[in-house]
Amino acid sequence: MNRNLIGLGAVFLLAACGGRSAGEPVPPDSIITGVNYVGASVSDLEQTAELYSSAVDLQPADQSEIADNPVFDILAGRTGISAQTQMMRSINAQVRFMQFANPSAEAQATQQMDVQGPGIAHVCYQVDQKTQAYQKLLAGGAKHIGNKDMVHLNPQNPVYYAYARDFDGLIAEIEHVDIAKLELPTPPKNQYRVRHVSLATPDIDRLVDFYTAFLNQPGPRRVGRWMTVSGEKVDQVSGLPGSELEMAWFQIRNLELEMFQYHSHPTKDLEEPRPVDALGYNMIVFDVSDIDAARNRLVDAGGTIVSEPAPMDGGQIMFGRDPDGNLLGLQAVAKDSVFSSQNFKDNGT
């Protein structure tokens, strides 16, 4: 199977409107050096791995168990938490799927994530149209959210979009790119990548302010601040009639962080964070060079601490939350660790 992917910057959803221009290089940060993985709680590791391997070419990278781990006991709010995990890797980023033993009653009662959140709403996969990734996702048991057929949002960009929800409720955004129609000096050398992880928020200005400080990255790309993104085609992707939203993006070396706010379908702040063992995306784990400096950065930006640094996965990890309550891991591991974002050649480009 060809595991190449489309280069970052080949195609963007919309032109930037304020902040950094689309495709403009982001200076590297000395403390937050990448994204090690996005975490997700699932009901069946084998079924999940088969679906995402077949549809978007995520490949197994590591199998491990989380057990007798004080950090996860703190995250779950009870002792004796355990989970089998499967790390699945693309060319630039990875997702760690977790199957928890005996999920809590609160976790089992937690509803699936809505398109408009709040929380870690979806992971976006950008692929060559020839891969037919979206069709494979549906054939593997996922259900379309908006139109079943992919939507061509912008006639000037040969990109087609769709949202789909897998059997555990996890939302995947698929971007099919017609490579032959890209106006580039040389065609993209790659077919698959994880484009971004997306946060749905009730207050995008608050979240942008936090990540600007936490990531030391002023001037993110933003659209919709003065005129919201809307239209029939947007509705066809989101499945939400009358969609009106604004968006922002941060580039964290190997992975893009997207955030958006639906003004048409207001999202409330969570009264309590989603349980870590509830089905759905449950964390974003950042690769940090200095865990104490990263901790200070998170607190100074307005985040809160959930757990202090402790051993895990051959390194040190601690957890905090952003102002929306999203769970953020700060992990320091060896560069050759399977968990490290440093493993991706040329940052996945």
Side-chain angles (χ1 to χ4, degrees):
M1 180 182 292
N2 188 338
R3 294 191 59 212
N4 294 330
L5 62 106
I6 297 159
L8 185 70
V11 174
F12 288 92
L13 172 64
L14 294 164
C17 181
R20 183 176 288 108
S21 299
E24 183 179 340
V26 176
D29 185 68
S30 61
I31 296 174
I32 311 296
T33 60
V35 176
N36 283 347
Y37 60 85
V38 177
S41 175
V42 302
S43 62
D44 188 322
L45 278 182
E46 184 175 349
Q47 184 182 29
T48 298
E50 182 178 351
L51 174 66
Y52 288 94
S53 174
S54 172
V56 293
D57 200 36
L58 293 187
Q59 295 296 313
D62 176 78
Q63 283 187 329
S64 55
E65 181 182 16
I66 295 170
D68 300 321
N69 187 304
V71 175
F72 264 73
D73 286 351
I74 292 172
L75 299 184
R78 66 186 194 279
T79 59
I81 193 80
S82 66
Q84 298 295 325
T85 79
Q86 174 69 69
M87 189 78 83
M88 301 289 289
R89 179 176 292 172
S90 185
I91 199 75
N92 68 305
Q94 48 199 7
V95 181
R96 189 178 191 179
F97 296 108
M98 309 173 185
Q99 182 177 342
F100 287 88
N102 301 317
S104 66
E106 292 79 9
Q108 295 181 61
T110 300
Q111 296 182 349
Q112 64 186 15
M113 180 68 64
D114 290 328
V115 168
Q116 70 272 33
I120 306 174
H122 67 256
V123 170
C124 175
Y125 302 91
Q126 188 183 69
V127 304
D128 186 336
Q129 188 179 48
K130 294 179 181 178
T131 66
Q132 295 292 283
Y134 173 61
Q135 289 78 7
K136 291 177 182 177
L137 198 66
L138 297 185
K143 304 295 183 182
H144 63 91
I145 291 177
N147 277 21
K148 183 174 183 179
D149 294 331
M150 302 195 81
V151 180
H152 191 194
L153 283 176
N154 187 341
Q156 296 179 340
N157 285 339
V159 189
Y160 299 80
Y161 301 85
Y163 283 169
R165 190 186 297 278
D166 74 11
F167 28 73
D168 286 324
L170 275 71
I171 300 174
E173 178 185 3
I174 305 295
E175 296 182 3
H176 275 187
V177 182
D178 187 347
I179 299 297
K181 294 183 179 179
L182 283 178
E183 296 181 1
L184 296 173
T186 57
K189 61 182 179 179
N190 303 310
Q191 281 188 312
Y192 295 90
R193 75 177 291 111
V194 179
R195 169 73 183 276
H196 60 245
V197 57
S198 191
L199 304 178
T201 177
D203 188 338
I204 193 168
D205 291 330
R206 178 181 67 184
L207 210 58
V208 165
D209 287 346
F210 169 81
Y211 282 100
T212 293
F214 175 60
L215 300 173
N216 189 30
Q217 196 176 129
R221 289 193 299 124
R222 296 192 68 169
V223 300
R225 297 180 73 182
W226 315 120
M227 182 179 295
T228 56
V229 178
S230 61
E232 181 180 358
K233 289 186 176 181
V234 177
D235 297 353
Q236 290 171 353
V237 176
S238 70
L240 300 173
S243 295
E244 294 184 9
L245 66 156
E246 62 176 296
M247 309 166 78
W249 295 267
F250 292 85
Q251 181 63 42
I252 317 170
R253 193 174 62 80
N254 64 310
L255 187 62
E256 194 172 47
L257 177 64
E258 176 187 76
M259 52 198 65
F260 60 88
Q261 179 179 356
Y262 275 86
H263 294 288
S264 55
H265 299 75
T267 300
K268 295 181 180 180
D269 280 306
L270 287 174
E271 294 183 4
E272 296 289 339
R274 288 176 64 89
V276 70
D277 49 345
L279 296 179
Y281 301 108
N282 59 7
M283 64 183 67
I284 301 173
V285 176
F286 294 93
D287 199 351
V288 304
S289 61
D290 183 327
I291 201 166
D292 291 328
R295 181 194 190 281
N296 292 339
R297 180 89 68 81
L298 184 142
V299 172
D300 291 344
T304 57
I305 302 302
V306 176
S307 68
E308 295 294 347
M312 182 173 150
D313 295 330
Q316 291 280 314
I317 196 168
M318 64 165 292
F319 285 90
R321 295 190 186 276
D322 69 16
D324 281 5
N326 297 306
L327 188 62
L328 309 180
L330 308 178
Q331 187 176 42
V333 292
K335 290 184 177 181
D336 60 354
S337 166
V338 69
F339 299 96
S340 174
S341 68
Q342 309 295 322
N343 279 311
F344 302 109
K345 183 179 179 181
D346 298 325
N347 299 335
T349 59

